[in-house]
Amino acid sequence: MNKKLDITKPVDDLVREYPELVNILKGLGFTEIAKPAMLQSVGRMMTIPRGAAMKGIAMADVIRVLRENGFELAGNAPEHPEQKKTGGENIPAAETSTEQIKGYLKRLHDGEDLESVRKDFVAQFSQVDASEIMKAEQELIREGMPISEAQKLCDIHSALFHGATAAEKIANAEKAVAESLQAKPQQIRAAEQAQAPERALSDRPDAYRMKQEITRKLCETKGHPLSVWTRENEKIGALIHEIQKEMEEGRDIREKLAALRPLAVHYAKKGDLVYPILKVRYGISGPSQVMWSVDDEIRNELSALSKESDHTEKWADRVRTVLQRADEMIYKEANILFPLCAAYFTAEEWYDIYQDAKAYAPVFGVEDRWEEAEQFLEEKRTKKGSALQDGEIVMAGGHMTVAQLEALLNTLPLEITFVDAVDINRFFNEGPKVFKRPLTALDREVYACHPPKIEPMVRAILDDFRNRRRDCVPVWMEKNGKPYLVQYMAVRDKNQNYLGTVEVVQDMQFAKEHFMKA
């Protein structure tokens, strides 16, 4: 007698009734079902049709294999949003869940009312994975949507998906599973990356949900960057809500609006330490293309509003708008950006980010020591010193040990950056810097270290150097009340072959004071 199977029920319920389903579904491509932790957590919410849509598995194939294994589908097999009927047969539709999300975003882009789009979205999706949102945005950009248009939609996207991300849906997953994941999150992540490092996050929706628990654990680890940034966001959000309340009461908000300035440092850390890693190392370009630009817009608007003295109703409307955008960015960081980072970044990348973050001013006094990172970094420094201390570099003008050369470069009153002939960051000297250079930027393209609006200028300079149109580009600027000379110089060998570019930043305050006395 055939076994009756209601595929509208959660996968965990079905496997409890028919254990043989584990191997059957695994053979179809539902690989995560073999992991007890995933089955006991995500499996309690995920149905076979929904899982098939997210994995890109045709329901027609699923139904065929189930019937071949003696299962009779109870009632009518549900037609999932990702499936269309033709001639009474279920066939895979061209429109995947990502394509559907793109459709919603396109409707918003075309000016359709948010509530109308939201109504259709809720009818089709009980939840949406943050990676699906990001993938949809990236595909729209690749298909020709201008980045400027994508960033205009960024806040509307957040409003559409608010409350529907997987992070929020599984916040209270099984305690036993949470404890097992929290015990050794780095080891779990390393093992999964070793198993399938080439797989995109959007291809592993169940694994992504597993990372939500790791995200929460990292946010609770004292001193971890995600913990620090979460606490910063708590303070930023609280101040935003205070300002909004005082505006409703008709009170003077100038002082508190000025107090929101540390938000710029929070955004700077994302731009320098997070977006480039996601884009260059993991191919996730959405945050750097859209979020980074929105960060800049919010920061610039807050700066402009604080400088204006004519506080008209138009000014107040601008304040309300930018505060809402900043508040939505907190949501997007917690539910999209932070889980992406937790899913991909390795332990060593987090250690480097922790170290680099020390160069930034504390945001609202939030700063903590991460003991695990401190221990790793100290061991790394010790190992590096003992391995290289006896080596010498022989040059035409003499010879030096690595330790001597390193100390010499760090003693010079300059900020030095060397980019090689293929535009890869190869060296930064150490010490406090006006222009931050995170260690995580080493061995990646120099372009990833600059906001989208600056990248064309950097490319033009390096192209001129490479093609011998120029040898040096000096830039004078003022920062924090001091004059600086930034020089970009082509580095060539004795045969004038291009080896790379060096950027040298020099504080010229001493020269200004000298000539003012003369």
Side-chain angles (χ1 to χ4, degrees), residues 264-438:
V265 179
H266 178 85
Y267 286 178
K269 287 191 284 189
K270 286 195 295 177
D272 294 341
L273 308 180
V274 175
Y275 297 148
I277 298 180
L278 285 173
K279 179 179 180 180
V280 176
R281 296 188 183 176
Y282 300 106
I284 302 175
S285 58
S288 62
Q289 290 178 306
V290 180
M291 277 187 169
W292 201 345
S293 297
V294 174
D295 288 345
D296 285 345
E297 288 183 356
I298 293 172
R299 181 167 44 200
N300 294 340
E301 178 71 346
L302 283 171
S303 176
L305 288 168
S306 65
K307 294 175 182 177
E308 294 188 12
S309 56
D310 190 9
H311 297 170
T312 62
E313 186 56 34
K314 182 179 179 180
W315 178 87
D317 286 339
R318 286 172 58 195
V319 171
R320 294 186 188 96
T321 298
V322 75
L323 290 179
Q324 182 61 33
R325 298 191 78 191
D327 200 28
E328 288 293 342
M329 184 57 73
I330 294 173
Y331 168 85
K332 283 177 277 194
E333 287 180 19
N335 292 282
I336 299 177
L337 184 62
F338 293 174
L340 284 173
C341 295
Y344 279 104
F345 290 2
T346 65
E348 190 162 351
E349 285 171 335
W350 282 125
Y351 297 149
D352 287 341
I353 290 172
Y354 165 77
Q355 178 68 14
D356 291 331
K358 293 180 181 179
Y360 297 79
V363 176
F364 296 114
V366 178
E367 53 182 338
D368 274 319
R369 179 183 174 88
W370 185 17
E371 293 298 337
E372 179 183 326
E374 290 289 349
Q375 181 178 348
F376 173 86
L377 294 168
E378 179 58 34
E379 291 174 355
K380 184 178 179 180
R381 285 190 290 266
T382 302
K383 182 178 180 181
K384 180 180 178 181
S386 62
L388 301 176
Q389 64 185 356
D390 296 327
E392 278 199 342
I393 299 175
V394 179
M395 297 166 283
H399 54 89
M400 305 174 70
T401 65
V402 171
Q404 290 169 339
L405 178 59
E406 190 174 51
L408 183 152
L409 293 172
N410 291 337
T411 300
L412 295 174
L414 305 168
E415 297 178 22
I416 304 172
T417 297
F418 177 67
V419 180
D420 70 14
V422 291
D423 307 336
I424 302 298
N425 293 319
R426 296 296 294 273
F427 173 80
F428 310 136
N429 66 333
E430 298 176 78
K433 294 179 174 63
V434 175
F435 300 93
K436 303 296 185 294
R437 292 165 180 80

Side-chain angles (χ1 to χ4, degrees), residues 4-174:
K4 290 191 176 182
L5 192 72
D6 185 352
I7 58 177
T8 63
K9 290 183 178 180
V11 173
D12 183 62
D13 290 350
L14 300 180
V15 169
R16 288 175 185 274
E17 186 175 2
Y18 302 111
E20 64 269 30
L21 274 174
V22 171
N23 289 330
I24 295 172
L25 294 176
K26 182 180 178 182
L28 279 162
F30 298 88
T31 53
E32 288 80 8
I33 195 172
K35 301 174 183 178
M38 295 304 301
L39 183 60
Q40 295 169 20
S41 57
V42 178
R44 296 196 173 188
M45 296 175 286
M46 184 69 66
T47 64
I48 289 177
R50 178 63 179 152
M54 298 179 74
K55 299 285 283 184
I57 302 170
M59 270 303 297
D61 292 336
V62 175
I63 293 170
R64 175 179 54 77
V65 171
L66 289 174
R67 286 174 176 166
E68 288 175 355
N69 282 273
F71 287 98
E72 177 184 338
L73 302 187
N76 295 321
E79 180 180 353
H80 193 266
E82 281 72 34
Q83 306 292 324
K84 292 180 181 179
K85 282 187 177 180
T86 301
E89 295 292 331
N90 277 334
I91 63 171
E95 191 176 66
T96 64
S97 56
T98 300
E99 288 295 325
Q100 282 191 292
I101 293 172
K102 285 168 58 180
Y104 296 126
L105 299 182
K106 286 177 181 177
R107 287 166 62 184
L108 291 172
H109 176 254
D110 293 338
E112 188 170 339
D113 179 67
L114 171 62
E115 290 307 315
S116 174
V117 178
R118 191 206 303 273
K119 181 179 179 181
D120 290 345
F121 169 77
V122 171
Q124 297 286 349
F125 287 89
S126 61
Q127 65 181 36
V128 62
D129 199 305
S131 63
E132 292 177 303
I133 302 172
M134 198 60 64
K135 182 178 179 181
E137 291 181 344
Q138 288 181 198
E139 288 190 6
L140 286 173
I141 293 171
R142 282 197 295 267
E143 291 170 5
M145 179 181 286
I147 294 176
S148 59
E149 289 300 309
Q151 67 191 58
K152 286 179 183 178
L153 286 172
C154 190
D155 301 313
I156 304 176
H157 299 179
S158 179
L160 174 63
F161 302 122
H162 219 78
T165 63
E168 295 163 301
K169 294 291 184 180
I170 67 165
N172 297 312
E174 282 288 302

